[in-house]
């Protein structure tokens, strides 16, 4: 089996900022409510002429430059997204064209907020078997296009952004190695978090649009509890699988949906608060982009240092959850 290395990372956050005060002007809410219930202060949204593949490409370019690779060196592109450019084809095909990565095959995966750990797991298996040498793994979302800006229960939570990693069979500038992953799925709660309209159940009609079914729907309270339970299981699961204890982990990098969820998971797995990375205040929940952007910020700010054992953990609609163990 080949080893799996992260040889480059990149991110792109759209320039336009939407603060809690901006949202106060749109729905009946307050900066104080959003801050205390979620920890979010602001999020970014794509420009009118930007779509998911555009921001995916910008993150990917940085990751490839970081890895010292050209687009033609990439064998496979996986885009994790729930807000693709179109219903089909895959956004990864658009990314392949925009990057001129003509040697790469490309597909998307839909694993909502767990998209990055899921995509990284697939990439790792392809590398381990020797099938591919360099895989571009991207998490990219333009959630603002699917957010109901009249629903205060959801519109406060989400933001747009993209992150990317190059995963290779040889080390890059650092020895950052993907060691293991842990994935879980429970499809019994599909109704708690979804975008019901526009699929084969409710194809787009005037009625589905009038009923706002093309926007994200969520039972926030129920999702909160399952998120804490599932991410706790994923962290404990990956530790057990690798015969580690929580004290071995230098940084926990959780999905950034809500600061209260992050704190509850940290408490449940008994890790000191200062070892749990947080950037939800700046970006909100960017779904598939969140964990890779958090890893990027943790590395670039010096929180994660070479040699550190790091656990990424995420949870999303499906429900799906996953953790990745990395020695940075
Ligand atoms: C959405 C979420 C922030 C709501 O927080 P909460 O503490 O559960 O709040 P509740 O839904 O119980 O609502 C409490 C009250 O606040 C109100 N409220 C909801 N959103 C509000 C807002 N933006 N501003 C002000 N009040 C709001 C509710 O109407 C309710 O009022 P009521 O008591 O008069 O009925 C929280 O449930 C959450 O973060 N859930 C998980 C979301 C998530 O992470 N999803 C993605 C997973 S990947």
């Amino acid at each position: 089996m080949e080893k799996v290395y992260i040889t480059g990372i990149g991110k792109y956050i759209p320039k336009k900022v939407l603060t809690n005060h901006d949202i106060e002007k749109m729905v009946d809410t307050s900066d104080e409510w959003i801050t205390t219930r979620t920890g979010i202060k602001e999020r970014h949204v794509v420009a009118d002429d930007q779509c998911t593949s555009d921001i995916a490409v910008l993150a990917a370019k940085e990751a490839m430059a970081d890895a010292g690779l050209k687009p033609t060196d990439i064998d496979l592109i996986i885009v994790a997204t729930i807000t693709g450019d179109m219903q089909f084809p895959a956004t990864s095909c658009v990314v392949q064209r925009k990057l001129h990565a003509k040697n790469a095959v490309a597909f998307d995966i839909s694993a909502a907020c767990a998209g990055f750990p899921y995509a990284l797991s697939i990439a790792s298996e392809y590398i381990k078997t020797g099938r591919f040498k360099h895989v571009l793994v991207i998490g990219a979302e333009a959630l603002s296009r699917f957010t109901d800006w009249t629903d205060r229960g959801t519109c406060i939570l989400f933001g747009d952004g993209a992150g990317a990693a190059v995963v290779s069979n040889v080390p890059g500038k650092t020895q950052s190695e993907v060691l293991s992953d842990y994935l879980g799925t429970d499809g019994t709660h599909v109704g708690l978090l979804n975008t019901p309209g526009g699929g084969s159940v409710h194809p787009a009609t005037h009625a589905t649009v009038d009923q706002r079914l093309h926007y994200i729907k969520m039972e926030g309270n129920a999702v909160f509890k399952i998120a804490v339970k599932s991410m706790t299981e994923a962290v404990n699961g990956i530790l057990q699988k690798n015969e580690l204890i929580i004290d071995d982990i230098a940084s926990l990098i959780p999905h950034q949906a809500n600061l209260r969820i992050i704190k509850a998971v940290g408490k449940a797995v008994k890790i000191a608060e200062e070892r749990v990375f947080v950037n939800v205040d700046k970006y909100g929940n960017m779904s598939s982009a969140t964990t890779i952007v958090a890893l990027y910020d943790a590395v670039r700010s010096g929180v994660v240092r070479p040699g550190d054992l790091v656990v990424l953990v995420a949870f999303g609609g499906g429900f799906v959850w996953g953790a990745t163990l990395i020695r940075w």
Side-chain angles (χ1 to χ4, degrees):
M1 288 285 211
E2 302 277 338
K3 289 188 170 191
V4 182
Y5 298 95
I6 295 181
T7 51
I9 50 175
K11 80 166 180 185
Y12 177 78
I13 304 295
K15 296 203 169 41
K16 187 174 171 192
V17 177
L18 203 61
T19 66
N20 291 347
H21 295 295
D22 295 325
I23 296 185
E24 282 174 353
K25 294 176 197 138
M26 300 157 77
V27 289
D28 181 14
T29 191
S30 65
D31 172 47
E32 199 266 329
W33 194 96
I34 303 171
T35 306
T36 47
R37 298 291 182 118
T38 73
I40 300 166
K41 295 299 287 182
E42 58 187 38
R43 70 288 292 143
H44 294 243
V45 295
V46 285
D48 291 345
D49 61 352
Q50 259 176 340
C51 60
T52 299
S53 62
D54 292 328
I55 62 174
V57 161
L58 291 167
K61 282 184 174 168
E62 186 186 351
M64 287 188 296
D66 192 36
L69 294 176
K70 303 185 294 297
T72 47
D73 295 324
I74 302 296
D75 303 308
L76 167 65
I77 300 170
I78 307 174
V79 175
T81 188
I82 51 166
T83 57
D85 287 8
M86 290 174 259
Q87 186 82 332
F88 84 95
T91 298
S92 55
C93 297
V94 183
V95 169
Q96 190 245 25
R97 169 173 63 79
K98 289 181 178 172
L99 288 175
H100 307 291
K102 60 183 171 51
N103 300 321
V105 295
F107 59 82
D108 287 2
I109 66 143
S110 171
C113 305
F116 187 76
Y118 267 64
L120 189 53
S121 174
I122 299 166
S124 298
E125 297 303 323
Y126 274 120
I127 297 285
K128 277 190 222 165
T129 58
R131 174 86 182 263
F132 294 124
K133 290 188 172 61
H134 300 294
V135 182
L136 186 54
V137 182
I138 304 170
E141 303 286 4
L143 287 156
S144 60
R145 298 270 157 81
F146 300 86
T147 298
D148 185 345
W149 293 104
T150 66
D151 174 15
R152 69 179 183 172
T154 55
C155 75
I156 57 164
L157 298 170
F158 301 110
D160 299 340
V166 177
V167 182
S168 305
N169 66 344
V170 286
K173 290 178 296 199
T174 64
Q175 296 288 320
S176 313
E177 189 181 344
V178 179
L179 300 173
S180 178
D181 65 58
Y182 177 100
L183 304 177
T185 298
D186 177 0
T188 57
H189 301 293
V190 168
L192 294 180
L193 177 56
N194 59 31
T195 301
S200 61
V201 177
H202 300 294
T205 60
H206 282 292
T208 63
V209 173
D210 289 345
Q211 290 161 32
R212 311 182 80 76
L213 298 185
H214 52 297
Y215 291 126
I216 299 165
K217 310 283 179 202
M218 183 176 59
E219 302 285 338
N221 234 297
V223 173
F224 190 107
K225 290 175 195 139
I226 302 170
V228 173
K229 182 173 154 283
S230 306
M231 287 206 283
T232 301
E233 178 207 303
V235 175
N236 289 333
I238 202 158
L239 292 177
Q240 208 173 5
K241 189 172 164 185
N242 292 278
E243 296 177 355
L244 295 169
I245 58 168
I246 196 71
D247 292 342
D248 296 324
I249 304 304
S251 288
L252 178 66
I253 304 196
H255 177 54
Q256 310 278 316
N258 182 321
L259 184 60
R260 286 158 54 219
I261 295 178
I262 295 170
K263 286 193 170 168
V265 172
K267 201 169 157 206
V269 303
K270 299 188 174 63
I271 187 166
E273 243 181 61
E274 58 275 15
R275 287 196 281 139
V276 181
F277 189 76
V278 174
N279 65 3
V280 70
D281 50 318
K282 293 194 288 184
Y283 307 127
N285 178 354
M286 300 179 291
S287 194
S288 303
T290 291
T291 36
I292 174 60
V293 168
L295 175 66
Y296 178 101
D297 284 359
V299 169
R300 291 289 184 256
S301 63
V303 168
V304 167
R305 290 183 294 262
D308 280 357
L309 268 184
V310 174
V311 169
L312 305 187
V313 63
F315 166 85
F319 288 117
V320 285
W321 55 96
T324 314
L325 178 68
I326 299 170
R327 181 172 303 278
W328 196 260

